[in-house]
């Protein structure tokens, strides 16, 4: 990552590009200084985020510690690097692996294939 993204990460902030805008989270970590930094360095942030565009983005990640699954992270599409950064925010020793649709092991039925009542 670049210097601008690193600055945000040091403050516990993650950034994504949405068109020409920068979306940051979590909002609870934002300070006036960080808001001003994002405004001032918007173009630099967009350039740094664009460098990461070639990485595959997935919506589901398995978070592990000591080789055991502790939870799953499901949300907007993110890269492996972004998933690992989020996991490390909570558990510095965590690892992440992608969850493909075929790897689901939860007992929930597949509601998309349910035949509607006649």
């Amino acid at each position: 990552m670049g210097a601008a993204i690193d600055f945000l990460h040091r403050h516990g902030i993650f950034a994504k590009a949405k068109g020409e805008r920068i979306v940051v989270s979590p909002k609870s970590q934002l300070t006036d200084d960080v808001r001003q930094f994002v405004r001032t360095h918007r173009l630099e942030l967009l350039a740094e985020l664009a460098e990461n565009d070639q990485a595959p983005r997935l919506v589901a990640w398995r978070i592990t510690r000591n080789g055991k699954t502790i939870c799953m992270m499901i949300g907007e599409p993110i890269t492996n690097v972004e998933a690992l950064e989020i996991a490390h925010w909570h558990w510095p020793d965590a690892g992440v692996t992608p969850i493909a649709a075929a790897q689901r092991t939860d007992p929930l039925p597949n509601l998309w294939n349910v035949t509607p009542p006649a």
Side-chain angles (χ1 to χ4, degrees), residues 71-92:
C71 66
M72 290 184 280
M73 179 170 51
I74 300 171
E76 291 187 31
I78 57 175
T79 65
N80 187 291
V81 169
E82 293 166 330
L84 192 57
E85 288 173 351
I86 293 168
H88 282 174
W89 177 253
H90 298 284
W91 305 280

Side-chain angles (χ1 to χ4, degrees), residues 15-114:
K16 288 194 265 185
K18 276 202 174 181
E20 293 298 311
R21 295 179 49 221
I22 301 292
V23 178
V24 295
S25 64
K27 302 274 186 224
S28 62
Q29 297 289 92
L30 286 176
T31 63
D32 290 338
D33 290 339
V34 172
R35 280 187 179 93
Q36 184 59 40
F37 178 87
V38 172
R39 287 184 195 112
T40 305
H41 295 88
R42 185 178 66 84
L43 294 177
E44 183 180 348
L45 286 164
L46 287 170
E48 289 179 15
L49 291 168
E51 289 176 9
N52 199 21
D53 275 352
Q54 300 305 316
R57 297 177 187 281
L58 303 172
V59 297
W61 298 90
R62 185 180 322 279
I63 300 177
T64 59
R65 290 179 75 194
N66 300 321
K68 297 186 183 208
T69 300
I70 59 170
C71 66
M72 290 184 280
M73 179 170 51
I74 300 171
E76 291 187 31
I78 57 175
T79 65
N80 187 291
V81 169
E82 293 166 330
L84 192 57
E85 288 173 351
I86 293 168
H88 282 174
W89 177 253
H90 298 284
W91 305 280
D93 61 337
V96 296
T97 55
I99 301 173
Q103 293 177 318
R104 286 186 53 178
T105 58
D106 62 293
L108 297 175
N110 184 347
L111 299 179
W112 297 107
N113 292 330
V114 173

